[in-house]
Amino acid sequence: MAKQLDYHMIREIFTRFHAAEPEPKGELEHVNAYTLLVAVALSAQATDVGVNKATRELFKLADTPEKMLALGEEGLIEHIKTIGLYRNKAKNVMKMARILAEDYGGEVPNSRAALQALPGVGRKTANVVLNMWWHYPAQAVDTHIFRVGNRSGICPGKDVVAVERAIEDNIPVDFQQHAHHWLILHGRYVCVARKPKCGACLIRDLCQFEEKNF
């Protein structure tokens, strides 16, 4: 684990990320808060590309909890069976749809506690929805952010909650809204798990990673 970078270095890193991509976007396709919630829940241990492929037709048929209930669990499975753990995810999506329809009038709640109380929704999923739909600066720490944060010294931590806290505590507030997208995209395409592409890295001179590839 690298040492925590100081304020000036972190500000410079995010200034560079912003210059390269001022408005980074999540890669999961959705049409409203509900479809975003379902897509994020389905993406656990799966790729965004795989989820998008499965949900394109699904969301044409079921873009509300009520329509998902009408489709039924077996109908849902037909659309998502290419995604890992699809049977368990289908059960959770249907339970979630029932709770949203019965307790929330078909709307997705916008508090972390209410989101996390839904079946199949953990802290990371809740944070993605809060950030992407309501533009709240919640930090959804996945394997990419955990890796980049610890390699670089931007937001080191022993677990995802510690990394989330390090982002909130150390990244300047004007970069908080997009911080997790910049870090995810950097980890997905540049600071990859094996053979990171350090020669093409925007922040290689500031990064604390000792095993850089050039």
Side-chain angles (χ1 to χ4, degrees):
M1 186 192 301
K3 276 200 280 188
Q4 176 70 58
L5 294 174
D6 67 25
Y7 171 83
H8 299 289
M9 294 174 82
I10 291 174
R11 174 162 279 287
E12 175 59 23
I13 284 170
F14 283 92
T15 298
R16 293 181 193 181
F17 283 155
H18 179 268
E21 182 62 75
E23 294 284 331
K25 305 289 184 196
E27 296 183 321
L28 284 171
E29 295 171 8
H30 58 283
V31 296
N32 54 26
Y34 175 66
T35 54
L36 175 61
L37 177 61
V38 171
V40 180
L42 292 175
S43 73
Q45 295 176 287
T47 66
D48 288 0
V49 171
V51 172
N52 289 339
K53 198 176 288 186
T55 58
R56 268 182 210 125
E57 293 304 314
L58 171 65
F59 291 157
K60 289 177 186 175
L61 298 172
D63 60 358
T64 68
E66 294 81 4
K67 289 179 185 175
M68 190 66 77
L69 290 170
L71 180 64
E73 189 172 323
E74 289 307 313
L76 171 59
I77 284 172
E78 279 304 303
H79 287 277
I80 67 168
K81 60 188 177 184
T82 55
I83 299 173
L85 308 174
Y86 68 90
R87 287 197 182 279
N88 193 47
K89 288 177 180 178
K91 282 184 173 30
N92 283 333
V93 168
M94 298 312 294
K95 287 179 191 169
M96 183 199 301
R98 190 162 301 285
I99 291 169
L100 291 175
E102 293 177 356
D103 298 348
Y104 294 95
E107 298 295 318
V108 175
N110 63 353
S111 86
R112 186 185 283 120
L115 286 167
Q116 284 188 244
L118 295 170
V121 178
R123 187 178 181 87
K124 187 183 88 168
T125 297
N127 282 348
V128 172
V129 174
L130 291 172
N131 183 289
M132 287 180 64
W133 192 256
W134 282 287
H135 308 296
Y136 177 76
Q139 307 302 334
V141 178
D142 68 354
T143 55
H144 298 300
I145 293 181
F146 189 79
R147 180 173 66 253
V148 173
N150 278 294
R151 275 182 178 171
S152 65
I154 294 170
C155 46
K158 291 182 178 176
D159 54 44
V160 293
V161 174
V163 170
E164 182 182 326
R165 186 66 53 80
I167 294 173
E168 292 172 347
D169 289 349
N170 295 294
I171 293 175
V173 70
D174 45 323
F175 295 121
Q176 288 273 337
Q177 174 63 52
H178 294 311
H180 98 274
H181 281 130
W182 280 315
L183 292 169
I184 285 171
L185 294 171
H186 192 65
R188 189 172 283 165
Y189 298 111
V190 181
C191 193
V192 294
R194 296 180 184 178
K195 297 187 179 177
K197 301 169 186 176
C198 301
C201 178
L202 282 174
I203 62 166
R204 58 185 175 275
D205 56 318
L206 301 169
C207 174
Q208 302 296 297
F209 187 46
E210 293 180 355
E211 300 166 40
K212 292 188 179 85
N213 293 312
F214 288 104

